[in-house]
Amino acid sequence: MGLTEDEYLEKQFEIKGEILEKYETSWAGPLVVMLVAPRDWPPRGWVVDREELEFIREGHKMLNERVDVERIDRVACREEDEMGVERYEVFLKQYEDWVLHNKDRLEKESYEIDQDYHPGRRKRGKDYKEGMYELPFYYPGQICVGKVTTIHLYQGAFVDIGGVYEGWVPIKNNDWFWIRQYIKVNMQVIVEIVAKRDPYRFRFPIELCLLDPNIDHLIFNRFEFPPIFHRDTTPDELRRDSGRPPVTRKETSTRPEEDPLVSDHPYVDKLWQINAAEQMILNDMEANPHKYEGKKLSELTDDEEFDEENSVVYSKVRYKDSILPKVTLKTSVRDLDLESAFAERQHNKRLQKEAEERGEEFKVAKLRRHLEMDEYDLIHWRRSFEEREALIRDVSCRQALGLPLEEPGRYANARELLKGQYDPGSSLYRHDYWGEPKNSEKSKRKKLSDIHNKSIVGRGTLWYDMAYEDAIKQMEERKKAPREDSDEEDEVEDELDFDNSVFHKFIPEDYDGEEPLTFFGNEDDPQVKWDD
């Protein structure tokens, strides 16, 4: 006869450890369950009746009334008619209307955003059931009863609270050791919604904490930030949407409000390309009129199918004895306004002919496309000017209020930011780096510092009464000073390593400095004499 299920479980726990006692949940006060509409109702872009919305929001004002905990049992309503659920019923009516009009759209967006389903994401297809609550139904602080569906070592537990999104209880790493006996798959739990987030940006839109069993205080390894999706957006937008601190950048020496104004509109290059294509076609019409006989300029088509992705062709061309790079810009005839360009050229020819009859010199001031380019540049300059004015106003207001000019943590000193980081411009990170060359300035400075250190440590009778940097400056000044002959230069070089000031305290007061001195004796009792 084999082991029963209970005997098998006991055998397993004999191997893995003791069976912990059932954890009893207790609260400091009564658990309050409310039927209140979410404060962020209605969703963005959804219009509801204004009077009904005011009636719903009166319930939020009632929540601000203070109630004595000791008198709750006497004040609380136990009859359904006295609970005042009319406001919640109005909210449910508006919510069902919203679900009826947006359910198909939300499911379609779910397939576009999430290629595969994973716990915490929207249920769809066969997993979706009628009556599941959408995200606008929930709000932070709401208490729900659910069932644990999934347990993950590095992400946490997922609880089905009756909605299209499963709630996420963040648990990871060694915290499972302390709570492994208190949370199991398919067990019923009471949870509180901690946060409701954007499902497009965050992996788990609903974050929960456990109330029954009350083991939230046993979870220590909290997630610093909730997991997010890196979708098509800039890093700054991603950081702001997810509520994360800024990515530290290198502090710039220039100030944005002092930058010059910009007047080069990005569309000007395209206009120049269109103008050059129009003038080339008109020149070809004048050189080869038979090619355009019986054709209208508005009916001209491309010789081959135009591919916008390959509109720029890079090649090489021979010029005299050298080969130069060549860039070919292809333009579609559909983007050209040949009739206006042709009428403009005919008008300029007529003006030129009238000027020649009067004996005057005619010069075309600006073509129509050139004026259009100037207008775009002026628009860009005005936009740049307005942006700088707005930036200056913002800086002035921040200075007046004592606020920081930059977002805290956005910029850092280059030395602090790059300390210990990979620097591709540094020779230290080159694959063929074998140290500094012998004759480099860095090597010379290192040699001088070694000599200075050896003079202090190796020979105790010699020392410098100044810092190393000051000693180096003094040596450089001595080298630059003019010298009379080479013999004196050799003597100076020999004396650089020795400081004669150590003997000043042993020289007698009546010494006139003309005769040479002779030192004898030992270091403790030195004696001095000179020839009279």
Side-chain angles (χ1 to χ4, degrees):
M1 183 176 178
L3 295 174
T4 62
E5 184 177 357
D6 295 338
E7 292 175 347
Y8 174 76
L9 291 176
E10 291 179 3
K11 198 72 175 176
Q12 293 296 318
F13 283 113
E14 286 179 6
I15 300 172
K16 298 183 180 179
E18 298 181 358
I19 302 176
L20 303 179
E21 297 180 0
K22 185 178 179 180
Y23 196 83
E24 296 293 338
T25 300
S26 59
W27 293 283
L31 181 63
V32 180
V33 180
M34 301 176 293
L35 293 178
V36 184
R39 292 180 180 270
D40 59 350
W41 178 262
R44 182 177 297 180
W46 183 253
V47 181
V48 297
D49 184 60
R50 193 175 189 83
E51 295 181 357
E52 292 182 353
L53 185 60
E54 292 179 358
F55 180 68
I56 292 172
R57 290 182 175 174
E58 287 180 0
H60 301 149
K61 299 178 182 178
M62 298 171 63
L63 295 176
N64 297 330
E65 298 181 7
R66 293 188 177 183
V67 179
D68 190 0
V69 177
E70 297 178 355
R71 298 177 56 249
I72 279 184
D73 293 336
R74 298 194 297 269
V75 177
C77 300
R78 292 177 173 80
E79 298 295 334
E80 185 177 350
D81 297 338
E82 300 178 1
M83 288 186 180
V85 295
E86 297 86 1
R87 295 178 178 83
Y88 195 73
E89 290 176 353
V90 175
F91 159 70
L92 290 179
K93 185 191 73 172
Q94 294 183 357
Y95 165 76
E96 291 173 358
D97 188 25
W98 178 85
V99 171
L100 183 64
H101 289 82
N102 294 273
K103 180 175 65 174
D104 297 336
R105 177 183 62 84
L106 294 173
E107 186 169 0
K108 182 180 178 181
E109 290 180 355
S110 175
Y111 280 104
E112 293 176 356
I113 295 174
D114 299 329
Q115 303 298 328
D116 299 318
Y117 172 79
H118 58 84
R121 300 305 296 169
R122 180 184 174 84
K123 297 177 182 178
R124 58 206 182 185
K126 62 180 182 180
D127 296 331
Y128 180 83
K129 297 178 182 178
E130 292 294 333
M132 284 186 169
Y133 297 112
E134 297 288 346
L135 198 60
F137 179 81
Y138 299 103
Y139 60 90
Q142 188 175 8
I143 297 175
C144 306
V145 178
K147 181 188 291 186
V148 180
T149 59
T150 310
I151 289 178
H152 196 281
L153 177 61
Y154 300 106
Q155 294 178 354
F158 296 92
V159 182
D160 182 10
I161 54 177
V164 292
Y165 290 99
E166 292 182 348
W168 169 57
V169 182
I171 308 170
K172 63 177 182 178
N173 297 345
N174 293 336
D175 285 345
W176 282 112
F177 177 80
W178 307 105
I179 63 176
R180 66 189 187 279
Q181 302 298 331
Y182 306 133
I183 180 169
K184 301 286 186 181
V185 177
N186 292 329
M187 73 177 291
Q188 190 172 355
V189 294
I190 300 177
V191 293
E192 180 183 356
I193 297 178
V194 177
K196 182 178 71 171
R197 302 186 176 96
D198 180 14
Y200 181 80
R201 177 63 59 206
F202 295 88
R203 294 183 62 189
F204 312 124
I206 302 177
E207 184 177 346
L208 309 174
C209 70
L210 292 167
L211 298 181
D212 184 16
N214 189 11
I215 57 175
D216 190 65
H217 61 284
L218 298 177
I219 303 174
F220 302 98
N221 294 321
R222 303 286 181 177
F223 282 76
E224 187 176 2
F225 302 103
I228 59 176
F229 287 114
H230 292 268
R231 305 197 187 276
D232 298 334
T233 183
T234 61
D236 286 338
E237 291 179 357
L238 178 67
R239 173 183 61 81
R240 294 191 189 99
D241 292 347
S242 56
R244 304 194 177 196
V247 179
T248 307
R249 300 180 181 177
K250 181 180 178 181
E251 188 175 8
T252 57
S253 58
T254 60
R255 301 173 62 184
E257 60 270 17
E258 296 179 356
D259 292 342
L261 298 177
V262 181
S263 61
D264 49 346
H265 197 281
Y267 189 62
V268 169
D269 294 338
K270 182 66 176 178
L271 281 177
W272 174 86
Q273 183 180 345
I274 292 173
N275 177 63
E278 290 175 350
Q279 299 302 319
M280 290 174 64
I281 292 177
L282 295 180
N283 294 337
D284 188 55
M285 285 180 60
E286 294 178 357
N288 306 304
H290 59 278
K291 290 173 55 177
Y292 301 89
E293 289 182 0
K295 295 182 180 180
K296 293 183 179 180
L297 294 176
S298 59
E299 297 177 355
L300 294 179
T301 58
D302 299 323
D303 295 337
E304 56 185 16
E305 187 176 356
F306 179 72
D307 185 7
E308 188 173 359
E309 295 182 357
N310 301 322
S311 59
V312 182
V313 180
Y314 297 93
S315 59
K316 294 182 180 180
V317 63
R318 178 176 291 277
Y319 178 74
K320 295 182 179 179
D321 296 337
S322 59
I323 298 177
L324 302 177
K326 177 183 177 182
V327 181
T328 305
L329 303 176
K330 296 183 180 180
T331 308
S332 176
V333 180
R334 293 173 295 181
D335 299 337
L336 308 180
D337 190 3
L338 293 173
E339 292 183 350
S340 300
F342 181 75
E344 183 183 25
R345 177 167 288 197
Q346 294 298 327
H347 177 68
N348 290 333
K349 285 185 177 181
R350 186 170 62 254
L351 294 178
Q352 183 180 5
K353 185 177 180 181
E354 293 175 358
E356 289 177 355
E357 291 177 356
R358 295 193 302 268
E360 300 176 357
E361 183 180 358
F362 176 75
K363 184 178 180 181
V364 179
K366 280 189 176 182
L367 297 178
R368 176 179 56 90
R369 292 292 187 185
H370 294 163
L371 297 175
E372 193 173 353
M373 295 179 198
D374 293 342
E375 290 179 2
Y376 273 100
D377 284 337
L378 180 60
I379 292 173
H380 202 56
W381 181 87
R382 285 177 178 171
R383 184 184 299 128
S384 177
F385 177 76
E386 292 172 358
E387 289 178 354
R388 191 175 71 172
E389 291 294 317
L391 181 61
I392 292 175
R393 286 196 299 270
D394 181 68
V395 170
S396 302
C397 293
R398 286 176 176 273
Q399 289 178 345
L401 297 174
L403 299 175
L405 299 182
E406 299 292 345
E407 187 176 3
R410 182 64 179 273
Y411 295 99
N413 192 2
R415 292 183 178 179
E416 299 177 359
L417 182 62
L418 300 177
K419 187 176 181 179
Q421 294 186 6
Y422 169 70
D423 183 12
S426 175
S427 59
L428 184 64
Y429 294 95
R430 290 206 322 256
H431 69 281
D432 56 346
Y433 178 73
W434 291 90
E436 290 291 329
K438 293 183 178 180
N439 297 327
S440 67
E441 186 65 24
K442 188 175 181 180
S443 301
K444 291 180 180 178
R445 305 288 287 188
K446 190 174 184 304
K447 290 178 182 177
L448 290 174
S449 63
D450 292 343
I451 295 173
H452 176 74
N453 295 335
K454 287 180 181 178
S455 65
I456 297 175
V457 179
R459 299 169 62 185
T461 57
L462 304 177
W463 66 87
Y464 280 105
D465 293 334
M466 61 185 71
Y468 167 69
E469 290 78 7
D470 298 336
I472 295 298
K473 290 180 181 179
Q474 187 181 36
M475 291 175 62
E476 292 177 353
E477 291 176 358
R478 288 175 179 175
K479 290 179 180 179
K480 293 179 181 179
R483 299 168 184 175
E484 296 180 359
D485 51 2
S486 59
D487 295 338
E488 293 182 359
E489 291 179 2
D490 297 338
E491 293 178 1
V492 171
E493 290 179 358
D494 295 338
E495 293 175 358
L496 284 177
D497 294 335
F498 188 79
D499 190 0
N500 295 319
S501 61
V502 297
F503 300 112
H504 288 173
K505 61 182 179 180
F506 305 122
I507 299 176
E509 296 180 357
D510 56 345
Y511 175 64
D512 56 1
E514 295 182 357
E515 302 296 335
L517 293 173
T518 302
F519 290 86
F520 61 93
N522 52 28
E523 295 181 359
D524 298 331
D525 186 20
Q527 300 179 13
V528 185
K529 74 172 184 177
W530 64 92
D531 299 333
D532 293 334

